[in-house]
Amino acid sequence: QKEVEQNSGPLSVPEGAIASLNCTYSDRGSQSFFWYRQYSGKSPELIMFIYSNGDKEDGRFTAQLNKASQYVSLLIRDSQPSDSATYLCASGGGADGLTFGKGTHLIIQP
Amino acid sequence: EPEVTQTPSHQVTQMGQEVILRCVPISNHLYFYWYRQILGQKVEFLVSFYNNEISEKSEIFDDQFSVERPDGSNFTLKIRSTKLEDSAMYFCASNYRGRGTEAFFGQGTRLTVV
C-alpha cells in the first residue's frame, strides 16, 4: 500500500519568513514527487515537481528530495498571506495516478 | 494558457440516480484521470485512461463507475445508482506523457447526493 504522510498542521508562519513543509512516502520505487497547493473548495494547483535527489528551486519555492530517507520537503521563502493554503504532497503519476498526502494547512500571519 | 475544464461545477442528485460528470482535458495530453476528494479528506485516485482504455483503477472504482471518451475532446465519469457516500469533489486531470510528468487538474465538480 503506497502511503504519503504529512503533518496536517496548521503550520503558522509570520509574513516574510520561510515556511517549511515536509512529507514522507512509503514506496521506495516512487520516482516522481509533486507539490500542489489547494485553496479551500478549489482544485489542486501544481507548484513544483522533483525527480532527482537534492534541491530544485523555482522562484520563492525550493523542493528537496532525499530518496534514502524517503523524504520530500518544500520551502517557501518570503512567505506572503496569499501563500496561506493547504499544501499537498504527492508521489507517482503515470498509469497508477498520484498518491496524495492529506495535506498541511499553512497559515501566513501578516 | 491551456486548462482542464469540467462541467457542471455543482451537481445535486437523488440517491439511486445516475450522474455523468464531464471533462475536457488539455488538447495535446494523452493521459486522463479522475480523482475524488471527500470533504476534509485526501485526494484519492479513481482511474487512469490512455489510448481509449482504462490503464489502472483503484479499489474505489467498482462496477458503479465507468469512464468514456465519447469523442476527441470529452472524457466522462458515469456513476450509476449514486449513494450518499458518493458525495465529494470529483477532479479530472490530464498529463502529456504519463509517468514522470506533472498532472493538471480541472476546477472540479462538487457532487451532492441527497
Side-chain angles (χ1 to χ4, degrees):
Chain A
Q1 182 85 356
K2 300 174 186 176
E3 297 282 347
V4 174
E5 299 289 341
Q6 296 181 257
N7 188 322
S8 60
L11 174 65
S12 186
V13 173
E15 183 176 356
I18 296 175
S20 178
L21 303 158
N22 305 311
C23 160
T24 59
Y25 60 94
S26 64
D27 181 12
R28 282 201 172 273
S30 292
Q31 299 291 320
S32 308
F33 303 89
F34 305 85
W35 283 100
Y36 285 84
R37 177 174 62 197
Q38 187 176 34
Y39 294 111
S40 181
K42 303 296 186 183
S43 62
E45 174 192 6
L46 181 72
I47 299 174
M48 289 190 69
F49 57 90
I50 186 167
Y51 308 143
S52 303
N53 270 330
D55 295 0
K56 179 181 178 183
E57 186 174 319
D58 184 0
R60 295 188 297 114
F61 300 95
T62 299
Q64 299 173 317
L65 173 60
N66 183 326
K67 290 187 178 180
S69 301
Q70 295 177 244
Y71 179 88
V72 192
S73 65
L74 179 70
L75 301 177
I76 307 174
R77 288 180 298 281
D78 189 23
S79 299
Q80 303 297 310
S82 59
D83 294 327
S84 298
T86 297
Y87 288 79
L88 309 179
C89 176
S91 69
D96 294 342
L98 294 167
T99 300
F100 282 89
K102 294 187 79 170
T104 297
H105 182 42
L106 176 65
I107 299 171
I108 306 301
Q109 293 185 323
Chain B
E1 183 175 322
E3 60 180 17
V4 177
T5 58
Q6 291 186 242
T7 55
S9 57
H10 190 189
Q11 173 103 37
V12 181
T13 188
Q14 290 203 325
M15 191 167 51
Q17 296 297 302
E18 174 183 287
V19 295
I20 298 176
L21 310 183
R22 292 182 166 81
C23 168
V24 179
I26 295 173
S27 62
N28 65 340
H29 284 189
L30 304 176
Y31 293 81
F32 314 124
Y33 308 85
W34 284 102
Y35 290 84
R36 177 182 82 175
Q37 188 176 30
I38 296 170
L39 186 65
Q41 298 188 24
K42 66 173 72 174
V43 177
E44 299 174 291
F45 167 74
L46 294 178
V47 66
S48 60
F49 193 87
Y50 170 71
N51 201 26
N52 280 321
E53 60 183 23
I54 290 175
S55 293
E56 294 289 338
K57 56 185 181 180
S58 70
E59 292 176 350
I60 303 168
F61 194 89
D62 59 22
D63 292 343
Q64 181 194 9
F65 295 90
S66 62
V67 290
E68 192 177 37
R69 187 156 164 82
D71 53 42
S73 59
N74 290 284
F75 178 51
T76 63
L77 174 69
K78 182 189 292 186
I79 310 175
R80 289 180 282 276
S81 189
T82 49
K83 300 176 284 212
L84 293 176
E85 54 265 38
D86 294 327
S87 295
M89 283 287 283
Y90 288 82
F91 296 111
C92 175
S94 69
N95 69 12
Y96 178 62
R97 285 202 311 268
R99 183 170 299 283
T101 61
E102 58 273 31
F104 295 92
F105 283 72
Q107 78 276 26
T109 294
R110 179 172 298 283
L111 176 65
T112 303
V113 182
V114 298

